[in-house]
Amino acid sequence: NIQSVAACAATRVRVVLSNITCVDEAKLASRGVRAVMRMNDGKTLHLLMGLDAPCYAEALAAETPLPHG
């Protein structure tokens, strides 16, 4: 479901999904996400993580099989 992951600011992780409807915001909050912003394109989330967002993005990308190409 995850198409891409990147730190997009010092405090945010951008996640592009193929299906945004299965996002469980309560579960994300329980794992340290401070807020979830849904972008108008219907497939992109910004996860507000705090100042360690680049580290979280790197860790998530390393653990997630992302599509190539």
Side-chain angles (χ1 to χ4, degrees):
N1 192 27
I2 296 176
Q3 298 297 307
S4 68
V5 176
C8 62
T11 60
R12 294 182 189 178
V13 174
R14 178 187 305 118
V15 181
V16 179
L17 304 170
S18 57
N19 181 359
I20 201 168
T21 61
C22 59
V23 173
D24 185 341
E25 291 187 34
K27 186 177 258 186
L28 290 171
S30 74
R31 298 199 174 166
V33 175
R34 296 177 182 181
V36 176
M37 296 173 55
R38 292 175 181 256
M39 301 294 103
N40 289 334
D41 67 0
K43 62 181 183 175
T44 304
L45 300 175
H46 283 197
L47 308 178
L48 280 67
M49 302 297 301
L51 293 175
D52 290 330
C55 294
Y56 287 112
E58 185 177 316
L60 182 57
E63 293 182 15
T64 304
L66 299 174
H68 297 288

